[in-house]
């Protein structure tokens, strides 16, 4: 399933559509969101370099790690990112996000401060100004792909850090404008959901075409939180959890999937859990006290019921039964003494709905709307 999410980021958006967007959510019981973010970051970078992605460049907005961390991460995976790059640029919102270090240097308080030198990093000194942040991202992306129809991908390693400095409305507007920009192919970001109220989390999920939620193998109850049971859960399953993905399709349908992940020294690994996917999908049915499904015998019995208004296609003239006589009696106007006479050897095993009018004074339906020319 991780491959399915990665394929959506790699393929990007169609002409006229908004960019594909992925929100990665983690919680304190399963704090592996950054490992999942690094997985998609490395894999998408490899696809871009190999020419397998719609995007031709990648802009990384770094809030929680320095640019050198990501350079080392790429090089550890065999991706050259140390030389001047034509496919990746990093907007450094980690070194001096509010410009305090720059001011201290201007006042002489800091006399020996060296910026982290990188040919692919641009320092942002005011992350509160989301308009300037938007312009910086677009400029870096255009510098990679040019002014043609080529697009670039966007990665933000922590929207939670951005929400510390900017309002939810401004952050939502920033992400919406980036998704709507014709140069952006796909975007993904990390959110520590238990650090925020439900409204910001719901807004980011609504804006995303894909949502990946990380949960522990066994979810804690209220009584377990903070107790010895909570500690035992972490000890028994310290480096694995569940990866829940919700993918919105272009036709409006939503696909829900679940699989397990394992955090190893070399990175994160996903394992197939098809049986668990089926259970997860069945849980979406409403819990009611009656059966919503039909057995095979019930389906057969339902198919054998002959409705009085249904044309049977036997070649005879179509007559609409008005309740004055039995449809099996032809021109005989005498009503049968018992309904048992209607059951012949040919009609055994078939159901039939028979209607008798209470009196001749009742206005028959056929007099109002015969529909003699319709085969229904």
């Amino acid at each position: 399933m991780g491959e399915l999410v990665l394929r959506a980021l790699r393929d990007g958006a169609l002409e006229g559509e908004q960019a594909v967007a992925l929100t990665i959510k983690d919680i304190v019981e399963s704090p592996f969101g950054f490992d999942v973010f690094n997985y998609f970051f490395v894999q998408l970078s490899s696809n871009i370099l190999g020419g397998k992605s719609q995007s031709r460049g990648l802009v990384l907005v770094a809030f929680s790690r320095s640019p050198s961390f990501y350079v080392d991460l790429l090089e550890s995976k065999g991706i050259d990112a140390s030389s001047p790059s034509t496919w990746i640029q990093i907007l450094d919102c980690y070194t001096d996000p509010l410009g305090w270090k720059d001011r201290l240097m201007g006042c002489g308080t800091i006399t020996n401060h060296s910026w982290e030198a990188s040919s692919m990093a641009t320092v942002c000194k005011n992350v509160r100004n989301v308009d300037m942040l938007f312009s910086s991202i677009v400029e870096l992306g255009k510098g990679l792909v040019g002014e043609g129809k080529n697009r670039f991908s966007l990665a933000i390693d922590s929207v939670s850090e951005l929400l510390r400095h900017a309002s939810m409305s401004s952050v939502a507007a920033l992400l919406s404008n980036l998704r709507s920009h014709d140069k952006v192919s796909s975007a993904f970001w990390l959110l520590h959901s238990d650090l925020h109220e439900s409204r910001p989390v719901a807004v980011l999920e609504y804006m995303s075409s894909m949502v990946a939620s990380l949960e522990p193998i066994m979810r804690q109850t209220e009584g377990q939180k903070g107790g010895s049971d909570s500690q035992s859960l972490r000890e028994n399953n310290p480096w694995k959890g569940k990866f829940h993905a919700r993918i919105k399709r272009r036709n409006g349908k939503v696909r829900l999937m679940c699989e397990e992940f394992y955090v190893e020294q070399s990175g994160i690994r996903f394992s197939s859990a098809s049986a668990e996917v089926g259970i997860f999908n069945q849980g979406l049915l409403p819990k009611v006290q009656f059966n919503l499904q039909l057995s095979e015998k019930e389906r057969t019995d339902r198919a054998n019921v002959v409705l009085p208004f249904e044309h049977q296609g036997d070649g005879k003239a179509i007559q609409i039964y008005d309740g004055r006589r039995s449809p099996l009696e032809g021109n005989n106007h005498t009503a049968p003494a018992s309904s048992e006479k209607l059951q012949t050897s040919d009609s055994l095993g078939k159901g039939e709905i028979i209607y008798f009018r209470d009196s001749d004074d009742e206005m028959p339906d056929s007099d109002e709307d015969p529909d003699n020319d319709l085969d229904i």
Side-chain angles (χ1 to χ4, degrees):
M1 184 178 58
E3 289 294 329
L4 185 62
V5 176
L6 176 62
R7 190 183 309 125
L9 294 173
R10 181 195 66 193
D11 295 342
L14 297 178
E15 189 71 26
E17 289 185 344
Q18 286 188 327
V20 176
L22 167 66
T23 295
I24 304 170
K25 299 192 311 176
D26 68 351
I27 54 178
V28 67
E29 290 89 354
S30 185
F32 304 114
F34 192 67
D35 298 277
V36 176
F37 176 87
N38 289 342
Y39 169 81
F40 289 118
F41 170 68
V42 172
Q43 295 299 321
L44 185 59
S45 298
S46 177
N47 287 328
I48 292 174
L49 275 177
K52 301 177 182 179
S53 174
Q54 181 191 60
S55 57
R56 293 295 178 261
L58 176 64
V59 176
L60 170 64
V61 184
F63 281 96
S64 62
R65 299 292 191 277
S66 65
S68 62
F69 171 86
Y70 293 104
V71 172
D72 295 339
L73 175 64
L74 292 174
E75 291 184 347
S76 67
K77 303 298 182 180
I79 301 175
D80 185 17
S82 58
S83 59
S85 177
T86 58
W87 67 272
I88 185 172
Q89 283 292 326
I90 301 176
L91 184 60
D92 183 7
C93 300
Y94 171 83
T95 303
D96 193 15
L98 300 177
W100 289 351
K101 296 179 181 179
D102 196 38
R103 297 177 186 176
L104 292 175
M105 288 182 61
C107 296
T109 306
I110 298 179
T111 57
N112 187 18
H113 177 75
S114 59
W115 297 106
E116 184 176 343
S118 177
S119 60
M120 66 182 68
T122 301
V123 179
C124 178
K125 301 179 182 180
N126 186 9
V127 296
R128 292 175 177 173
N129 190 343
V130 294
D131 293 333
M132 185 178 68
L133 197 62
F134 172 80
S135 300
S136 299
I137 293 173
V138 173
E139 289 177 5
L140 290 176
K142 287 183 177 180
L144 293 173
V145 301
E147 296 293 339
K149 293 185 178 181
N150 290 335
R151 300 187 179 189
F152 66 91
S153 294
L154 171 67
I156 304 176
D157 66 358
S158 180
V159 173
S160 296
E161 291 286 342
L162 179 57
L163 288 171
R164 292 177 55 193
H165 306 294
S167 64
M168 181 64 239
S169 59
S170 61
V171 173
L174 169 67
L175 297 178
S176 178
N177 292 334
L178 288 170
R179 284 198 66 194
S180 303
H181 200 279
D182 58 357
K183 303 297 289 185
V184 179
S185 171
S186 60
F188 62 101
W189 49 75
L190 173 62
L191 176 71
H192 305 297
S193 57
D194 50 0
L195 297 181
H196 309 281
E197 297 180 353
S198 58
R199 180 176 177 273
V201 177
V203 170
L204 291 175
E205 289 184 0
Y206 178 79
M207 296 176 57
S208 305
S209 56
M210 299 182 292
V211 178
S213 304
L214 307 184
E215 295 181 0
I217 294 295
M218 296 180 61
R219 197 68 189 271
Q220 301 178 33
T221 62
E222 291 295 330
Q224 291 176 328
K225 291 184 178 180
S228 58
D229 293 338
S230 173
Q231 183 66 24
S232 63
L233 285 175
R234 293 191 182 96
E235 291 176 354
N236 294 332
N237 305 288
W239 302 109
K240 66 179 181 178
K242 292 183 178 180
F243 182 88
H244 295 278
R246 187 183 71 209
I247 303 176
K248 301 176 186 177
R249 295 175 175 267
R250 289 185 173 94
N251 57 7
K253 295 183 179 180
V254 177
R255 182 175 183 179
L256 302 175
M257 297 176 295
C258 176
E259 66 181 1
E260 293 184 357
F261 67 87
Y262 302 86
V263 179
E264 302 171 343
Q265 187 174 3
S266 58
I268 196 166
R269 176 174 59 86
F270 297 96
S271 66
S272 177
S274 57
E276 189 171 354
V277 172
I279 296 174
F280 185 71
N281 287 334
Q282 290 176 6
L284 299 176
L285 293 176
K287 296 181 180 179
V288 293
Q289 299 300 323
F290 52 88
N291 187 15
L292 295 176
Q293 307 294 333
L294 294 177
S295 65
E296 190 63 30
K297 182 178 182 304
E298 290 172 334
R299 293 192 186 95
T300 303
D301 293 342
R302 183 181 64 178
N304 289 333
V305 173
V306 180
L307 300 177
F309 54 82
E310 184 179 8
H311 176 48
Q312 302 304 312
D314 54 3
K316 297 181 180 180
I318 301 173
Q319 295 181 357
I320 295 180
Y321 176 56
D322 61 4
R324 290 191 177 94
R325 51 190 168 81
S326 169
L328 298 181
E329 291 180 331
N331 296 328
N332 186 4
H333 293 272
T334 304
S338 172
S339 61
E340 296 179 356
K341 295 181 179 180
L342 298 176
Q343 300 292 338
T344 63
S345 58
D346 295 335
S347 63
L348 290 177
K350 292 186 177 181
E352 188 172 4
I353 297 177
I354 301 176
Y355 162 67
F356 294 99
R357 292 200 307 160
D358 293 337
S359 67
D360 290 338
D361 295 335
E362 182 181 349
M363 183 66 67
D365 295 338
S366 59
D367 293 341
E368 298 176 2
D369 188 13
D371 290 336
N372 289 326
D373 58 332
L374 299 181
D375 186 6
I376 59 174

